[in-house]
Amino acid sequence: MDKNLYLTRSIEDVITEASLYFSVISVTGPRQSGKSTLLKHLFPDIPKYSLKDVNIREFAEHDPIAFLRQHPKGMFIDEVQKVPLLLEYIQGIVDDAPDTQFLLTGSSNFELLSHLSESLPGRAGVYELLPMTYSETAPTMSDASLDEFLFSGLYPAVCAKKNKPRLFYPSYVKTYLERDVRNLLKIKDQMQFMRFMKLCAARVGSIFNASELSAQLGVDSKTVTHWLSVLQASYLVTLLPPYYENISKRLVKSPKLYFCDPGLACFLLDIESPRQLERDKMRGAIFENYVVMEVIKHRYNRGLLDGVFFYRDSNQNEVDILLKEEGEITAIEVKSSMTYHSSFADSLNKLSDWIKTPVVRKIIVYTGNFENTASDIKLINYKNLLL
């Protein structure tokens, strides 16, 4: 496989357009999601500096003005949250010279976004880049079976065949524990945190319950909630909020837990091959995880945040995904079965009785090959979920 292979990302047009209006473009996302590769591809003439390099970081810390003024037309700064003071100086530069272009990346959501909102309000176009979508992986993964695809995950290095899942994920988690967890949590017992991550993986697609996890781990629920916020900040997990139109006692208020990548979830579940995944009890949840993240990436890749929910009430009525766009709902049910059954449509048929927002599209995503896009409820193979 060509080591220089670049897989086109869906967010490219949005960032290119934003660069015409913003002096600062910030891209956050998990480690190894392709942030630097994306920006270098889009802006090849802007010089890059990584603050992971100790020497560069010391220069930036001790003489930020000299560091930032090396290139009058601007620069690309990777892991900028490591020297947050730079953002204040960038504000002054772009105020005086709006044509200067700064590109910023970071792998810690909370740190970078808080500094951006304080230092560069209204001056930065802020985007999130998650692991790849199915359509983005098509050049290299189109022949993979579903279990191979889910097991491999969607990090660019794996999708471009520059690394193998069995090598990539152990290294990824080890690096995460040694860097992000140490820096954000200063936790001494990394094994206990690793167990926490594995317990979260075992709850993919379930309502998050801090008390239940705290009992299993032997720590208080506040600690569990804090640990979860760190997983969110470093883009390992996503919490899908419940949908409600007004405050109602009938509706579930806790979020559902998903991982940002199915391959990472498989690794944490000790699934060691596509063959093992095929027969694992978590396969359906892993498939649901994949579809939920596809819908979320659909929003992010258009520069939009939020808007994705699930529905559940106290009567156990449930719809897996509600996508709210322009005041209308697209409702999606996810089934890992290859065979369609009429019961798949039950919740979709009743949804309009449960919510007032107009439901304009109803979709069943499954693993079978037969599709019916002409009926009121569209039946779609997972490869063709193009919203």
Side-chain angles (χ1 to χ4, degrees):
M1 179 58 64
D2 180 6
K3 291 292 185 181
N4 296 316
L5 175 67
Y6 176 78
L7 297 176
T8 302
R9 307 303 298 266
S10 300
I11 201 172
E12 289 179 13
D13 289 344
V14 170
I15 291 178
T16 300
E17 181 183 17
S19 70
L20 303 176
Y21 300 94
F22 292 105
S23 298
V24 180
I25 296 294
S26 169
V27 180
T28 61
R31 294 186 185 279
Q32 302 293 318
S33 65
K35 302 180 294 296
S36 295
T37 302
L38 169 69
L39 290 180
K40 285 302 293 181
H41 176 77
L42 294 178
F43 307 95
D45 297 328
I46 296 182
K48 176 189 173 185
Y49 294 86
S50 175
L51 297 185
K52 289 184 284 188
D53 185 305
V54 175
N55 294 321
I56 294 175
R57 187 163 69 244
E58 286 186 357
F59 177 23
E61 288 173 336
H62 290 101
D63 199 344
I65 295 177
F67 174 73
L68 292 171
R69 292 195 181 278
Q70 293 178 89
H71 305 281
K73 292 185 178 180
M75 59 199 304
F76 172 7
I77 307 173
D78 187 30
E79 297 294 333
V80 69
Q81 81 277 355
K82 292 182 179 294
V83 187
L85 183 64
L86 289 177
L87 298 176
E88 297 180 20
Y89 289 98
I90 289 173
Q91 175 185 342
I93 291 173
V94 299
D95 283 349
D96 294 338
D99 290 338
T100 307
Q101 185 77 71
F102 283 96
L103 309 174
L104 311 176
T105 61
S107 54
S108 178
N109 187 19
F110 289 172
E111 285 183 280
L112 181 53
L113 290 184
S114 63
H115 294 312
L116 280 170
S117 62
E118 292 169 7
S119 304
L120 294 164
R123 297 172 179 85
V126 181
Y127 302 94
E128 295 185 76
L129 184 69
L130 296 178
M132 306 187 81
T133 64
Y134 182 84
S135 61
E136 291 171 341
T137 70
T140 58
M141 301 289 286
S142 58
D143 294 333
S145 70
L146 174 60
D147 295 300
E148 289 170 339
F149 176 72
L150 295 176
F151 175 76
S152 295
L154 293 111
Y155 283 92
V158 177
C159 293
K161 306 296 175 67
K162 297 176 182 178
N163 208 334
K164 295 182 177 181
R166 64 180 177 83
L167 302 175
F168 178 82
Y169 290 105
S171 174
Y172 190 90
V173 171
K174 185 174 187 294
T175 302
Y176 170 70
L177 289 171
E178 291 178 351
R179 291 185 185 176
D180 291 32
V181 172
R182 182 181 64 197
N183 293 337
L184 293 174
L185 278 177
K186 296 179 172 55
I187 192 170
K188 294 180 180 179
D189 189 350
Q190 288 190 352
M191 292 302 295
Q192 188 179 44
F193 191 83
M194 182 69 176
R195 184 163 176 251
F196 165 69
M197 291 171 64
K198 286 178 172 288
L199 287 172
C200 285
R203 286 161 174 74
V204 161
S206 300
I207 301 292
F208 177 71
N209 187 322
S211 299
E212 182 182 274
L213 275 173
S214 69
Q216 289 188 270
L217 288 165
V219 299
D220 61 56
S221 58
K222 288 185 178 179
T223 298
V224 167
T225 301
H226 180 50
W227 285 1
L228 185 73
S229 72
V230 172
L231 291 184
Q232 283 183 276
S234 42
Y235 293 95
L236 266 66
V237 303
T238 292
L239 293 181
L240 187 68
Y243 183 78
Y244 55 88
E245 295 161 322
N246 48 45
I247 302 301
S248 167
K249 294 182 179 179
R250 294 190 311 107
L251 296 174
V252 169
K253 304 255 184 345
S254 298
K256 277 188 174 183
L257 176 67
Y258 294 97
F259 273 73
C260 288
D261 184 76
L264 178 59
C266 286
F267 170 72
L268 293 170
L269 288 166
D270 298 321
I271 295 173
E272 298 179 348
S273 69
R275 182 171 172 270
Q276 181 185 349
L277 174 60
E278 183 181 9
R279 61 179 187 270
D280 197 276
K281 65 179 182 180
M282 289 295 293
R283 183 180 185 266
I286 295 293
F287 178 67
E288 179 183 323
N289 193 136
Y290 155 71
V291 176
V292 167
M293 291 310 304
E294 284 285 290
V295 177
I296 291 173
K297 291 172 193 175
H298 163 73
R299 294 280 291 175
Y300 283 9
N301 289 340
R302 292 186 295 141
L304 303 172
L305 301 179
D306 305 319
V308 185
F309 310 88
F310 73 95
Y311 178 91
R312 181 184 287 183
D313 62 30
S314 58
N315 295 321
Q316 303 306 307
N317 297 314
E318 184 171 359
V319 176
D320 293 326
I321 305 169
L322 299 187
L323 172 61
K324 187 175 184 179
E325 296 186 306
E326 299 182 4
E328 298 175 333
I329 293 290
T330 295
I332 304 171
E333 278 286 274
V334 183
K335 305 295 180 182
S336 61
S337 169
M338 291 188 68
T339 306
Y340 172 75
H341 191 278
S342 59
S343 63
F344 291 176
D346 287 352
S347 293
L348 295 178
N349 284 324
K350 297 174 184 176
L351 181 60
S352 295
D353 296 331
W354 304 333
I355 64 174
K356 297 177 182 178
T357 310
V359 181
V360 296
R361 286 199 296 170
K362 302 173 185 177
I363 301 171
I364 296 171
V365 180
Y366 80 139
T367 63
N369 293 321
F370 173 76
E371 296 186 318
N372 183 359
T373 59
S375 64
D376 178 49
I377 297 179
K378 302 183 187 306
L379 183 65
I380 297 177
N381 177 270
Y382 71 94
K383 294 181 179 180
N384 298 321
L385 179 60
L386 299 175
L387 295 164

